[in-house]
Amino acid sequence: MTTPHRDTDARRRGRPPATNARELELAALRLFSEHGFDDTTVEEIAAVAGVSRRTFFRYFDSKSAALWHQFDGEVQRLRTAFDAVSPHTPLMDAIREVVVGVNHYRAEDVPELRTRMHLISTVPALQTSAGPHYDAWERAVSDFAARRLNQPPDTLYPLAIGRTTLAASRAAFDQWLTTADTDLTTYLDLSLHALANGFDTRTR
Amino acid sequence: MTTPHRDTDARRRGRPPATNARELELAALRLFSEHGFDDTTVEEIAAVAGVSRRTFFRYFDSKSAALWHQFDGEVQRLRTAFDAVSPHTPLMDAIREVVVGVNHYRAEDVPELRTRMHLISTVPALQTSAGPHYDAWERAVSDFAARRLNQPPDTLYPLAIGRTTLAASRAAFDQWLTTADTDLTTYLDLSLHALANGFDTRTR
DNA sequence: CGTCTATTCGGCACTGAGTGCCGAATATTG
DNA sequence: CAATATTCGGCACTCAGTGCCGAATAGACG
């Protein structure tokens, strides 16, 4: 991850930044939607934000990274939510509540979220870039599970719980994308309940 | 996926292929291990196999695709195994048995498998390319679950089952990679049992 | 105000992945 | 031997990503 310029502004010394990650992200999101990911060059994204190609790569490691900016932010919100959860809530319940809680979006943010997730789940070149971002998300869950189970995070159970939690959540996202207007959190809750039930078809 | 030259040989007409996907895969695997993925150029891989750079891209869509050749083959073996499973075996049991069954490897194939999986799970540029390959694997499971549940494959339950099955299997693979010599299938069986139990910590 | 220093920006040059195109090479068919 | 089918190699091109360096622009300090 690039850590170029701290967003927290108390007016620093040198030349002020001409843009920021968020602005570049929005420019990328717009162009990707209009012309497609492959037919958009970094040059064009940078131009929309009013900076040079070189500067784009100071904010993002790759062309696709711009789309993962918000997602990466969710990882941090996940971790803080896990830190705040009651130690008496059973493990899988705690995970479900945290994931669902982090995914409450304001109505005005939903269209952008839909656009981004639609791109991520349809454009092959973007699926291709998902790996490291998903890993970080999974690790947040694995670390929590590891603390609860009193095991190292890279052992079977914590690993499996982190990975399957993301897997179930992604299924919920995909389902949400193809439906008209059911709430995202409804699908997340459903999918994570199913996970905690071992997909027992009798209990549905 | 590139479909360049049918491997099934009954001696066709034109100029005979100078290499094949398997040979290129082995060349890539060796160079990636020795010099690292990033420090290996497609030019070098092609040279080891005795062909030109241009020809490499006739067999694989990308430099990383060479490493996924065997994995992609497993998807087909998964599908045929699912077709052969007894309709009376409960869903999650069937999935576990099929996945475990497909992952029995001959002892002489294990070193190559370890090398490949180690590269896949440690090199960022390779994690980055995993998405589409994982998707195909998941879809094989989702399609089976969909038939069993009598639902379309792109609905919540089949989707979630396909994705979480891969997630649990990958956790088992990772655990197997970090241990010395426990059998892979042992971990797979453990992880998929845990999945079917909803990671109920009381039953362990 | 003038100078120093910190920080970002823009441009240049370079490597390497991936692609389109076309003629050369090499096989079978008749 | 001629026709046809198929793969190969090479060239040229676009674009992502990176290292480097000087220019630009701000605050700090005399």
Side-chain angles (χ1 to χ4, degrees):
Chain A
M1 184 61 62
T2 44
T3 315
H5 330 292
R6 40 187 172 185
D7 256 335
T8 60
D9 250 305
R11 274 231 204 75
R12 301 195 311 305
R13 262 229 194 155
R15 178 175 178 168
T19 184
N20 55 54
R22 175 65 179 161
E23 191 179 357
L24 285 168
E25 181 194 5
L26 287 177
L29 197 56
R30 186 158 70 78
L31 291 178
F32 291 166
S33 300
E34 292 176 2
H35 309 139
F37 181 82
D38 290 325
D39 291 333
T40 301
T41 67
V42 173
E43 184 90 42
E44 293 167 342
I45 303 173
V48 169
V51 294
S52 74
R53 197 179 85 95
R54 192 64 187 81
T55 292
F56 175 91
F57 284 111
R58 289 202 177 89
Y59 287 87
F60 295 111
D61 288 337
S62 66
K63 177 171 139 181
S64 55
L67 257 199
W68 291 97
H69 186 227
Q70 300 290 319
F71 183 90
D72 291 342
E74 181 176 310
V75 173
Q76 194 50 48
R77 288 190 290 140
L78 262 187
R79 288 191 177 276
T80 59
F82 275 130
D83 288 342
V85 81
S86 158
H88 301 103
T89 311
L91 174 57
M92 296 305 282
D93 291 334
I95 290 175
R96 176 170 38 75
E97 287 171 13
V98 163
V99 171
V100 170
V102 164
N103 279 283
H104 278 290
Y105 289 94
R106 293 177 304 176
E108 67 242 45
D109 294 337
V110 170
E112 182 186 327
L113 180 66
R114 276 195 108 98
T115 304
R116 178 169 39 247
M117 296 308 289
H118 180 255
L119 283 169
I120 286 176
S121 69
T122 57
V123 180
L126 284 173
Q127 299 171 350
T128 279
S129 65
H133 304 274
Y134 286 159
D135 268 14
W137 196 100
E138 289 166 355
R139 201 152 22 237
V141 181
S142 292
D143 286 349
F144 173 70
R147 290 202 302 272
R148 278 300 187 86
L149 299 176
N150 206 27
Q151 296 177 7
D154 58 342
T155 48
L156 187 60
Y157 258 70
L159 263 178
I161 290 175
R163 293 237 161 109
T164 54
T165 299
L166 175 66
S169 302
R170 288 216 298 137
F173 262 98
D174 285 354
Q175 194 61 22
W176 172 68
L177 278 176
T178 62
T179 59
D181 49 11
T182 309
D183 197 62
L184 166 61
T185 55
T186 303
Y187 287 119
L188 279 172
D189 197 67
L190 246 175
S191 193
L192 292 173
H193 262 300
L195 176 65
N197 286 337
F199 300 99
D200 188 342
T201 53
R202 293 165 304 184
T203 63
R204 285 185 307 138
Chain B
M1 184 59 66
T2 44
T3 315
H5 331 294
R6 41 187 170 186
D7 255 337
T8 60
D9 252 305
R11 271 229 206 77
R12 301 194 312 303
R13 258 221 198 168
R15 177 175 178 168
T19 184
N20 54 55
R22 174 63 177 162
E23 191 178 356
L24 284 168
E25 180 195 6
L26 287 177
L29 197 56
R30 185 158 70 77
L31 292 178
F32 291 167
S33 301
E34 292 176 1
H35 310 139
F37 181 82
D38 290 325
D39 290 334
T40 302
T41 67
V42 173
E43 185 89 42
E44 293 167 342
I45 302 173
V48 169
V51 294
S52 76
R53 196 180 85 98
R54 191 63 187 81
T55 291
F56 175 92
F57 284 110
R58 290 203 177 87
Y59 286 87
F60 295 111
D61 287 337
S62 66
K63 177 171 140 183
S64 55
L67 257 199
W68 293 96
H69 186 228
Q70 300 291 317
F71 183 90
D72 292 341
E74 180 175 311
V75 174
Q76 195 49 49
R77 288 190 289 142
L78 262 187
R79 289 193 177 274
T80 59
F82 276 130
D83 288 341
V85 81
S86 158
H88 301 103
T89 311
L91 174 56
M92 296 305 282
D93 290 335
I95 290 176
R96 176 171 37 77
E97 288 170 12
V98 163
V99 171
V100 170
V102 163
N103 279 283
H104 279 289
Y105 289 94
R106 293 178 303 177
E108 67 241 47
D109 294 336
V110 171
E112 183 187 326
L113 179 67
R114 277 195 109 98
T115 304
R116 178 169 39 245
M117 296 309 288
H118 180 256
L119 283 169
I120 286 176
S121 68
T122 57
V123 180
L126 284 173
Q127 300 171 349
T128 278
S129 65
H133 305 274
Y134 286 159
D135 269 13
W137 196 99
E138 290 166 354
R139 200 151 27 233
V141 181
S142 291
D143 286 349
F144 173 71
R147 289 202 302 272
R148 278 300 188 84
L149 298 176
N150 207 26
Q151 296 177 7
D154 58 341
T155 48
L156 188 61
Y157 257 70
L159 263 179
I161 291 175
R163 293 237 161 110
T164 54
T165 300
L166 176 66
S169 301
R170 288 215 298 135
F173 262 99
D174 285 354
Q175 193 62 21
W176 173 69
L177 277 175
T178 61
T179 58
D181 48 13
T182 309
D183 197 60
L184 166 61
T185 54
T186 303
Y187 286 119
L188 279 173
D189 197 67
L190 246 174
S191 193
L192 292 174
H193 264 298
L195 176 64
N197 287 337
F199 299 99
D200 188 342
T201 52
R202 292 165 304 183
T203 65
R204 287 184 306 137

